[in-house]
Amino acid sequence: MIEVIINGGKICLEDSITLMDYIESLSINSDYIAVAYNGEVLRREAYNTVILKDLDRIEIVRAVGGG
């Protein structure tokens, strides 16, 4: 089991998974988010290559429109 920090909160995962698999598990459309991985903003293409590991820090931000 691994522990990661998502938007400031700790969560436990059964095993290491890709960032994209985690995002999809939340039913979030990856076209409308920005993700920082351990302090570095990622390009969308990297979501499939980043494998979440113990104590990784992830920030997920959704774009919200309004006016």
Side-chain angles (χ1 to χ4, degrees), residues 15-49:
D15 202 2
S16 294
I17 61 171
T18 67
L19 177 58
M20 182 58 94
D21 287 340
Y22 179 74
I23 291 168
E24 288 175 349
S25 77
L26 299 175
S27 299
I28 296 174
N29 185 338
S30 65
D31 291 338
Y32 303 106
I33 62 171
V35 177
Y37 172 70
N38 293 328
E40 180 182 338
V41 177
L42 297 176
R43 298 179 68 110
R44 193 167 286 112
E45 299 83 31
Y47 296 176
N48 279 317
T49 61

